[in-house]
Amino acid sequence: QGKMPCVLYNKEPHVETMDILEWMEGQFAEPALAAPQGTPDEVKSGFGLMPAIAKFTANTDESKDEELKQNLLDALTKLNEHLKATPGGFLCGEKPTIPDVALLPKLFMMEIVTPHFKNFGLKDVPDNGPLMDYYEKGTSLPAFQAGVYEKEFSIKGWGDKRAS
């Protein structure tokens, strides 16, 4: 189908991040990744980061850049504030959960692509200590490292998107 991300298991494709994660949770019960009961919807939905990242990063109309950048900064600030208020280093506490597994690849991609095209990254979020700690902790997990793709792949893909 040409969609990313994609997991092919027993010749059956699973696409879209949340669908993949829900399928994984049902297929591979351990370690449990489900978010605890009562996890806020904002956490489960990733703080609106992906649309904000995509709109700002893909934008080629400079007259819209400041507004789109502010929208992204607002979403990153919400995430940072949540991390400040949540002990344990992950979105729901001490262990990664599905919301982390969904969000960390988006942040990883943002840290590659957005600075490349827009000279803006996580370092530009004010008082970003919790956000940077989260990013470093999450992206250093062995499972994350095992699935990391080449940075050039993301830059080319977003370059193509910006050109269209």
Side-chain angles (χ1 to χ4, degrees):
Q1 294 178 346
K3 292 184 177 183
M4 293 295 285
C6 178
V7 172
L8 186 63
Y9 186 78
N10 289 338
K11 298 183 181 180
E12 184 179 340
H14 302 275
V15 295
E16 304 299 336
T17 302
M18 289 309 293
D19 294 338
I20 291 168
L21 294 173
E22 289 170 2
W23 168 79
M24 286 174 57
E25 186 71 11
Q27 190 73 28
F28 309 100
E30 294 297 325
L33 293 174
Q37 202 73 330
T39 299
D41 287 341
E42 187 172 60
V43 173
K44 291 179 185 177
S45 67
F47 299 88
L49 269 165
M50 193 60 212
I53 292 168
K55 287 176 183 174
F56 177 60
T57 304
N59 180 53
T60 56
D61 179 352
E62 289 184 22
S63 70
K64 296 180 181 178
D65 258 4
E66 281 308 310
E67 177 185 349
L68 295 172
K69 181 178 180 179
Q70 188 59 53
N71 291 344
L72 176 55
L73 186 57
D74 291 347
L76 289 165
T77 299
K78 286 180 191 175
L79 169 60
N80 196 47
E81 291 302 316
H82 173 79
L83 292 166
K84 281 183 195 176
T86 305
F90 288 104
L91 293 175
C92 297
E94 294 181 5
K95 295 180 180 178
T97 59
I98 285 178
D100 297 293
V101 175
L103 184 60
L104 284 162
K106 295 168 183 151
L107 293 176
F108 179 77
M109 179 274 308
M110 181 198 148
E111 275 297 89
I112 295 166
V113 176
T114 307
H116 180 82
F117 292 109
K118 298 290 191 169
N119 197 29
F120 179 84
L122 297 179
K123 66 178 175 29
D124 298 304
V125 176
D127 192 25
N128 67 5
L131 180 58
M132 295 306 294
D133 290 347
Y134 172 72
Y135 180 77
E136 293 301 322
K137 186 175 185 175
T139 58
S140 67
L141 291 168
F144 187 92
Q145 287 297 310
V148 168
Y149 43 83
E150 296 294 322
K151 294 177 181 180
E152 294 77 25
F153 181 75
S154 287
I155 292 170
K156 180 179 179 340
W158 280 88
D160 292 349
K161 181 175 179 70
R162 288 170 50 87
S164 61

